[in-house]
Amino acid sequence: MEAVFIGVANRVAYTPDKPTAENWMSVQTTVYFTIEEAFKGVGGTALILNLDPCGYRFNEGERYLVYAHRNPNNNELDVRVGHTRTRPLSEATEDLQYIRGLAQAEPGSRVFGKVLQHTQKLREQPYAPESLQDIKVTLQGNTQRYEVVSDSEGKFEFKRIPAGTYRLRAALPAYLSYEEQRLDLIGRECAPVDVHASRRALIAGRVLDANGKPINSVPISLVPADATVEQILAEKPGWILTYTIRDGRFRFTQLEPGRYLLVINRTQSAASRGSTVSRVLPLLFYPGVTDLGEATVIVVGENDEPREYIFQLTIHQ
Protein backbone atom coordinates (compact mmCIF):
# COMPACT_ATOMS: atom_id res chain seq x y z
CA MET A 1 0.00 0.00 0.00
CA GLU A 2 1.69 3.21 -1.20
CA ALA A 3 -0.49 5.78 0.61
CA VAL A 4 -2.61 5.89 3.78
CA PHE A 5 -4.42 9.02 4.98
CA ILE A 6 -7.55 10.49 6.56
CA GLY A 7 -9.36 12.87 4.26
CA VAL A 8 -12.65 14.49 3.35
CA ALA A 9 -14.11 13.85 -0.10
CA ASN A 10 -14.99 17.50 -0.71
CA ARG A 11 -16.14 16.97 -4.27
CA VAL A 12 -16.98 13.89 -6.35
CA ALA A 13 -17.30 14.52 -10.09
CA TYR A 14 -18.46 12.02 -12.73
CA THR A 15 -17.90 11.72 -16.47
CA PRO A 16 -20.56 11.42 -17.82
CA ASP A 17 -22.10 13.59 -15.12
CA LYS A 18 -25.22 11.47 -14.50
CA PRO A 19 -24.23 7.90 -13.62
CA THR A 20 -26.97 5.28 -13.56
CA ALA A 21 -27.09 1.55 -12.83
CA GLU A 22 -26.96 0.91 -16.57
CA ASN A 23 -24.04 3.17 -17.55
CA TRP A 24 -21.95 2.84 -14.39
CA MET A 25 -19.34 0.60 -16.06
CA SER A 26 -18.37 3.48 -18.37
CA VAL A 27 -18.27 6.19 -15.69
CA GLN A 28 -14.99 7.87 -14.71
CA THR A 29 -14.83 9.44 -11.24
CA THR A 30 -12.67 12.29 -9.94
CA VAL A 31 -12.51 12.74 -6.16
CA TYR A 32 -11.08 15.93 -4.61
CA PHE A 33 -9.75 15.29 -1.09
CA THR A 34 -8.73 17.55 1.74
CA ILE A 35 -6.12 15.60 3.73
CA GLU A 36 -6.64 15.84 7.48
CA GLU A 37 -3.94 13.39 8.57
CA ALA A 38 -1.33 11.59 6.47
CA PHE A 39 0.24 8.32 7.64
CA LYS A 40 2.11 7.21 4.54
CA GLY A 41 2.95 8.23 0.98
CA VAL A 42 1.24 11.62 0.66
CA GLY A 43 2.13 15.20 1.48
CA GLY A 44 0.35 18.53 1.46
CA THR A 45 -3.26 19.22 2.28
CA ALA A 46 -5.04 18.16 -0.90
CA LEU A 47 -5.16 15.20 -3.25
CA ILE A 48 -7.06 14.27 -6.40
CA LEU A 49 -7.94 10.65 -7.23
CA ASN A 50 -8.92 9.73 -10.78
CA LEU A 51 -10.86 6.45 -10.68
CA ASP A 52 -12.15 4.19 -13.43
CA PRO A 53 -15.49 2.30 -13.18
CA CYS A 54 -13.93 -0.19 -10.74
CA GLY A 55 -12.87 2.56 -8.36
CA TYR A 56 -14.15 2.84 -4.78
CA ARG A 57 -17.38 4.84 -4.58
CA PHE A 58 -16.82 7.85 -2.35
CA ASN A 59 -19.67 10.00 -1.04
CA GLU A 60 -19.26 13.73 -1.28
CA GLY A 61 -18.68 15.42 2.09
CA GLU A 62 -17.80 12.19 3.96
CA ARG A 63 -14.57 11.53 5.90
CA TYR A 64 -12.56 8.42 5.04
CA LEU A 65 -9.54 6.42 6.03
CA VAL A 66 -8.04 5.81 2.59
CA TYR A 67 -5.65 3.05 1.56
CA ALA A 68 -4.35 3.73 -1.96
CA HIS A 69 -2.01 1.78 -4.19
CA ARG A 70 -0.04 2.84 -7.26
CA ASN A 71 -1.76 1.89 -10.52
CA PRO A 72 0.91 0.24 -12.73
CA ASN A 73 -0.83 1.45 -15.90
CA ASN A 74 -0.51 5.19 -15.19
CA ASN A 75 1.51 5.37 -11.92
CA GLU A 76 -1.31 7.33 -10.24
CA LEU A 77 -2.74 6.56 -6.81
CA ASP A 78 -5.78 4.32 -7.12
CA VAL A 79 -8.46 2.86 -4.83
CA ARG A 80 -10.26 -0.22 -6.17
CA VAL A 81 -13.72 -1.21 -5.02
CA GLY A 82 -13.79 -4.54 -3.19
CA HIS A 83 -9.98 -4.69 -3.02
CA THR A 84 -9.20 -2.13 -0.35
CA ARG A 85 -9.72 -1.53 3.35
CA THR A 86 -10.72 2.05 2.55
CA ARG A 87 -13.85 2.93 4.50
CA PRO A 88 -15.72 5.79 6.14
CA LEU A 89 -13.78 7.09 9.15
CA SER A 90 -16.67 6.13 11.44
CA GLU A 91 -16.03 2.46 10.55
CA ALA A 92 -12.21 2.57 10.81
CA THR A 93 -11.70 2.55 14.58
CA GLU A 94 -9.73 -0.71 14.65
CA ASP A 95 -7.38 0.36 11.85
CA LEU A 96 -6.75 3.77 13.39
CA GLN A 97 -5.95 2.30 16.80
CA TYR A 98 -3.28 0.12 15.31
CA ILE A 99 -1.84 2.77 12.95
CA ARG A 100 -1.50 5.32 15.76
CA GLY A 101 -0.12 2.75 18.15
CA LEU A 102 2.69 1.54 15.89
CA ALA A 103 5.35 3.40 17.87
CA GLN A 104 4.46 1.41 20.99
CA ALA A 105 3.59 -1.81 19.17
CA GLU A 106 5.12 -5.14 20.06
CA PRO A 107 7.98 -6.48 17.90
CA GLY A 108 7.19 -7.77 14.43
CA SER A 109 4.35 -6.95 12.10
CA ARG A 110 0.62 -7.40 12.41
CA VAL A 111 -1.15 -8.81 9.36
CA PHE A 112 -4.93 -8.59 9.51
CA GLY A 113 -7.99 -8.45 7.30
CA LYS A 114 -11.18 -10.20 6.27
CA VAL A 115 -12.14 -13.07 3.99
CA LEU A 116 -14.77 -11.72 1.61
CA GLN A 117 -16.89 -13.38 -1.04
CA HIS A 118 -17.93 -11.38 -4.11
CA THR A 119 -21.11 -12.43 -5.89
CA GLN A 120 -23.05 -10.64 -8.62
CA LYS A 121 -26.51 -10.38 -7.11
CA LEU A 122 -28.81 -8.99 -9.77
CA ARG A 123 -31.40 -7.79 -7.26
CA GLU A 124 -28.82 -5.96 -5.13
CA GLN A 125 -27.05 -3.14 -6.95
CA PRO A 126 -24.53 -2.16 -5.89
CA TYR A 127 -23.97 -5.43 -4.05
CA ALA A 128 -21.85 -5.81 -0.93
CA PRO A 129 -19.31 -8.60 -0.40
CA GLU A 130 -20.18 -11.31 2.11
CA SER A 131 -17.89 -12.18 5.03
CA LEU A 132 -16.79 -15.81 5.20
CA GLN A 133 -16.19 -17.50 8.54
CA ASP A 134 -14.25 -20.66 9.43
CA ILE A 135 -11.85 -20.22 6.52
CA LYS A 136 -8.28 -21.36 7.15
CA VAL A 137 -5.83 -18.59 6.27
CA THR A 138 -2.09 -19.26 6.15
CA LEU A 139 0.92 -16.97 6.02
CA GLN A 140 4.04 -18.73 4.82
CA GLY A 141 7.62 -17.52 4.28
CA ASN A 142 11.09 -17.38 5.82
CA THR A 143 10.79 -21.15 6.46
CA GLN A 144 7.86 -20.36 8.77
CA ARG A 145 4.14 -21.12 8.45
CA TYR A 146 1.40 -19.42 10.47
CA GLU A 147 -2.24 -20.48 10.42
CA VAL A 148 -5.48 -18.93 11.69
CA VAL A 149 -9.22 -19.34 11.03
CA SER A 150 -11.54 -16.45 10.13
CA ASP A 151 -14.11 -15.55 12.79
CA SER A 152 -17.86 -14.98 12.50
CA GLU A 153 -17.22 -11.63 10.77
CA GLY A 154 -14.66 -13.07 8.40
CA LYS A 155 -11.78 -11.45 10.27
CA PHE A 156 -8.31 -12.97 10.69
CA GLU A 157 -5.11 -11.72 12.32
CA PHE A 158 -1.42 -12.65 12.57
CA LYS A 159 0.77 -10.99 15.22
CA ARG A 160 4.50 -10.59 15.81
CA ILE A 161 5.47 -11.68 12.28
CA PRO A 162 9.22 -11.21 11.58
CA ALA A 163 10.40 -9.16 8.60
CA GLY A 164 10.52 -11.07 5.33
CA THR A 165 8.56 -12.11 2.26
CA TYR A 166 5.38 -14.12 2.76
CA ARG A 167 2.50 -15.65 0.79
CA LEU A 168 -1.05 -15.25 2.09
CA ARG A 169 -3.33 -18.16 1.17
CA ALA A 170 -6.88 -19.19 2.00
CA ALA A 171 -8.49 -22.65 1.91
CA LEU A 172 -11.69 -21.86 0.02
CA PRO A 173 -14.56 -24.03 -1.27
CA ALA A 174 -14.07 -25.29 -4.83
CA TYR A 175 -16.68 -22.90 -6.27
CA LEU A 176 -14.61 -19.88 -5.21
CA SER A 177 -11.36 -18.49 -6.59
CA TYR A 178 -8.96 -15.79 -5.40
CA GLU A 179 -5.53 -14.33 -6.11
CA GLU A 180 -2.77 -15.44 -3.76
CA GLN A 181 -1.04 -12.39 -2.30
CA ARG A 182 2.60 -11.62 -1.60
CA LEU A 183 3.54 -9.53 1.42
CA ASP A 184 6.93 -7.89 1.94
CA LEU A 185 7.13 -7.07 5.65
CA ILE A 186 9.91 -4.77 6.81
CA GLY A 187 9.48 -5.06 10.57
CA ARG A 188 7.18 -3.29 12.98
CA GLU A 189 4.29 -2.35 10.73
CA CYS A 190 0.58 -2.69 10.09
CA ALA A 191 -0.25 -4.79 7.01
CA PRO A 192 -4.00 -4.76 6.31
CA VAL A 193 -4.87 -7.25 3.56
CA ASP A 194 -8.21 -8.80 2.67
CA VAL A 195 -8.81 -12.08 0.87
CA HIS A 196 -11.20 -11.39 -2.02
CA ALA A 197 -12.89 -14.59 -3.13
CA SER A 198 -15.10 -14.62 -6.21
CA ARG A 199 -17.54 -17.19 -7.47
CA ARG A 200 -16.10 -19.09 -10.45
CA ALA A 201 -19.49 -19.28 -12.20
CA LEU A 202 -19.83 -17.10 -15.29
CA ILE A 203 -21.79 -16.63 -18.49
CA ALA A 204 -19.65 -15.65 -21.46
CA GLY A 205 -19.93 -15.81 -25.23
CA ARG A 206 -20.04 -13.89 -28.48
CA VAL A 207 -22.50 -12.00 -30.66
CA LEU A 208 -22.22 -12.94 -34.36
CA ASP A 209 -24.04 -11.78 -37.48
CA ALA A 210 -25.57 -14.10 -40.10
CA ASN A 211 -22.14 -14.65 -41.67
CA GLY A 212 -20.51 -15.54 -38.36
CA LYS A 213 -18.77 -12.16 -38.16
CA PRO A 214 -18.47 -10.71 -34.62
CA ILE A 215 -20.40 -7.55 -33.74
CA ASN A 216 -18.84 -5.15 -31.24
CA SER A 217 -20.49 -2.57 -28.93
CA VAL A 218 -23.77 -4.47 -28.63
CA PRO A 219 -25.57 -3.91 -25.28
CA ILE A 220 -26.32 -7.18 -23.47
CA SER A 221 -28.22 -7.41 -20.20
CA LEU A 222 -28.25 -10.31 -17.76
CA VAL A 223 -31.71 -10.79 -16.25
CA PRO A 224 -33.07 -13.36 -13.76
CA ALA A 225 -35.36 -15.76 -15.62
CA ASP A 226 -37.88 -15.68 -12.77
CA ALA A 227 -38.41 -11.92 -13.09
CA THR A 228 -41.80 -10.75 -14.31
CA VAL A 229 -42.29 -9.77 -17.94
CA GLU A 230 -42.66 -6.16 -16.83
CA GLN A 231 -39.36 -6.28 -14.95
CA ILE A 232 -37.55 -7.89 -17.87
CA LEU A 233 -38.73 -5.29 -20.37
CA ALA A 234 -38.88 -2.13 -18.22
CA GLU A 235 -36.18 0.56 -18.23
CA LYS A 236 -35.76 -0.21 -14.53
CA PRO A 237 -34.54 -2.20 -12.67
CA GLY A 238 -31.17 -1.91 -14.38
CA TRP A 239 -30.02 -5.50 -13.83
CA ILE A 240 -26.47 -5.95 -15.18
CA LEU A 241 -25.46 -4.42 -18.50
CA THR A 242 -22.32 -4.87 -20.57
CA TYR A 243 -21.27 -4.22 -24.18
CA THR A 244 -19.56 -6.66 -26.50
CA ILE A 245 -15.89 -5.92 -27.05
CA ARG A 246 -13.33 -7.13 -29.57
CA ASP A 247 -14.43 -10.26 -31.47
CA GLY A 248 -17.98 -9.67 -30.24
CA ARG A 249 -17.22 -11.09 -26.81
CA PHE A 250 -19.20 -10.51 -23.63
CA ARG A 251 -18.75 -11.80 -20.08
CA PHE A 252 -20.71 -11.83 -16.81
CA THR A 253 -18.71 -13.11 -13.84
CA GLN A 254 -19.08 -13.97 -10.13
CA LEU A 255 -22.57 -15.35 -10.64
CA GLU A 256 -24.61 -17.06 -7.95
CA PRO A 257 -26.45 -20.27 -8.90
CA GLY A 258 -29.67 -19.48 -10.71
CA ARG A 259 -31.62 -19.20 -13.96
CA TYR A 260 -30.74 -16.36 -16.31
CA LEU A 261 -31.74 -14.70 -19.58
CA LEU A 262 -29.46 -12.81 -21.96
CA VAL A 263 -31.11 -9.81 -23.63
CA ILE A 264 -29.83 -7.55 -26.42
CA ASN A 265 -31.15 -3.96 -26.52
CA ARG A 266 -33.20 -4.43 -23.36
CA THR A 267 -33.64 -0.65 -23.10
CA GLN A 268 -33.63 2.15 -25.64
CA SER A 269 -31.03 4.11 -23.68
CA ALA A 270 -28.61 1.18 -23.79
CA ALA A 271 -29.22 0.64 -27.51
CA SER A 272 -28.56 4.31 -28.28
CA ARG A 273 -25.06 4.04 -26.79
CA GLY A 274 -24.21 0.91 -28.78
CA SER A 275 -22.73 0.49 -32.24
CA THR A 276 -24.42 1.56 -35.46
CA VAL A 277 -25.39 -2.05 -36.07
CA SER A 278 -26.84 -2.56 -32.59
CA ARG A 279 -29.04 0.53 -32.91
CA VAL A 280 -31.02 -1.06 -35.73
CA LEU A 281 -31.43 -4.36 -33.90
CA PRO A 282 -34.74 -5.18 -32.21
CA LEU A 283 -35.07 -6.46 -28.66
CA LEU A 284 -33.54 -9.95 -28.78
CA PHE A 285 -33.29 -12.87 -26.38
CA TYR A 286 -30.65 -15.59 -26.42
CA PRO A 287 -30.00 -17.40 -28.75
CA GLY A 288 -31.33 -14.68 -31.10
CA VAL A 289 -35.14 -14.68 -30.90
CA THR A 290 -37.59 -11.80 -30.54
CA ASP A 291 -40.23 -13.75 -28.58
CA LEU A 292 -39.60 -14.01 -24.84
CA GLY A 293 -41.47 -17.32 -24.81
CA GLU A 294 -38.82 -18.81 -27.14
CA ALA A 295 -35.84 -17.55 -25.14
CA THR A 296 -33.40 -20.13 -23.80
CA VAL A 297 -32.99 -20.09 -20.04
CA ILE A 298 -29.35 -20.45 -18.99
CA VAL A 299 -28.98 -22.43 -15.77
CA VAL A 300 -25.88 -21.76 -13.65
CA GLY A 301 -25.00 -24.34 -10.99
CA GLU A 302 -22.62 -24.10 -8.05
CA ASN A 303 -19.82 -26.09 -9.69
CA ASP A 304 -20.65 -25.91 -13.41
CA GLU A 305 -17.79 -25.67 -15.88
CA PRO A 306 -17.84 -22.51 -18.05
CA ARG A 307 -19.17 -22.79 -21.61
CA GLU A 308 -19.52 -20.29 -24.43
CA TYR A 309 -22.93 -18.98 -25.48
CA ILE A 310 -23.19 -17.82 -29.11
CA PHE A 311 -25.78 -15.13 -29.82
CA GLN A 312 -26.41 -15.81 -33.55
CA LEU A 313 -28.23 -13.00 -35.35
CA THR A 314 -29.90 -13.04 -38.75
CA ILE A 315 -28.58 -9.66 -39.89
CA HIS A 316 -25.67 -9.03 -42.26
CA GLN A 317 -23.21 -6.22 -41.55
Side-chain angles (χ1 to χ4, degrees), residues 67-130:
Y67 294 89
H69 71 276
R70 190 73 59 182
N71 189 321
N73 296 322
N74 54 26
N75 204 38
E76 294 184 359
L77 288 177
D78 194 11
V79 182
R80 312 291 286 181
V81 66
H83 294 264
T84 177
R85 286 187 64 84
T86 295
R87 63 199 60 202
L89 193 62
S90 60
E91 302 173 11
T93 302
E94 182 183 6
D95 288 29
L96 284 175
Q97 287 176 344
Y98 189 81
I99 291 172
R100 289 179 170 147
L102 280 177
Q104 294 80 37
E106 52 194 337
S109 296
R110 176 185 177 232
V111 177
F112 66 100
K114 296 182 72 174
V115 182
L116 300 169
Q117 174 181 311
H118 297 266
T119 304
Q120 287 275 13
K121 297 183 178 180
L122 272 62
R123 299 182 187 278
E124 298 177 23
Q125 296 186 29
Y127 64 91
E130 174 188 355

Side-chain angles (χ1 to χ4, degrees), residues 115 132-138 146-152 154-158:
V115 182
L132 295 181
Q133 65 177 357
D134 298 328
I135 299 297
K136 182 171 68 176
V137 182
T138 59
Y146 306 91
E147 182 179 303
V148 296
V149 175
S150 61
D151 67 14
S152 61
K155 295 180 180 179
F156 62 88
E157 179 180 42
F158 300 93

Side-chain angles (χ1 to χ4, degrees), residues 35 102 230 284:
I35 298 177
L102 280 177
E230 290 75 15
L284 293 169

Side-chain angles (χ1 to χ4, degrees), residues 226-245:
D226 61 353
T228 66
V229 174
E230 290 75 15
Q231 290 173 330
I232 292 173
L233 301 180
E235 286 283 334
K236 292 183 179 181
W239 305 125
I240 302 177
L241 170 70
T242 189
Y243 289 81
T244 56
I245 56 175

Side-chain angles (χ1 to χ4, degrees), residues 121-247:
K121 297 183 178 180
L122 272 62
R123 299 182 187 278
E124 298 177 23
Q125 296 186 29
Y127 64 91
E130 174 188 355
S131 299
L132 295 181
Q133 65 177 357
D134 298 328
I135 299 297
K136 182 171 68 176
V137 182
T138 59
L139 190 65
Q140 187 167 356
N142 289 2
T143 71
Q144 299 293 320
R145 176 186 171 91
Y146 306 91
E147 182 179 303
V148 296
V149 175
S150 61
D151 67 14
S152 61
E153 296 180 330
K155 295 180 180 179
F156 62 88
E157 179 180 42
F158 300 93
K159 293 182 178 180
R160 299 182 291 279
I161 305 301
T165 298
Y166 296 85
R167 292 286 180 180
L168 185 77
R169 300 183 175 95
L172 297 171
Y175 63 85
L176 295 175
S177 64
Y178 77 107
E179 290 187 10
E180 182 181 298
Q181 300 187 60
R182 167 176 163 161
L183 298 177
D184 294 310
L185 304 178
I186 59 176
R188 183 177 294 176
E189 65 176 306
C190 165
V193 55
D194 292 335
V195 174
H196 296 277
S198 299
R199 285 187 175 270
R200 295 180 184 274
L202 60 85
I203 293 175
R206 305 175 72 193
V207 175
L208 307 177
D209 69 9
N211 296 321
K213 182 179 179 181
I215 309 177
N216 299 336
S217 301
V218 174
I220 299 186
S221 297
L222 186 66
V223 179
D226 61 353
T228 66
V229 174
E230 290 75 15
Q231 290 173 330
I232 292 173
L233 301 180
E235 286 283 334
K236 292 183 179 181
W239 305 125
I240 302 177
L241 170 70
T242 189
Y243 289 81
T244 56
I245 56 175
R246 187 173 59 183
D247 296 330

Side-chain angles (χ1 to χ4, degrees), residues 6-8 10 33-37 42-47:
I6 294 174
V8 180
N10 290 317
F33 273 99
T34 295
I35 298 177
E36 296 183 344
E37 188 173 358
V42 293
T45 58
L47 178 71

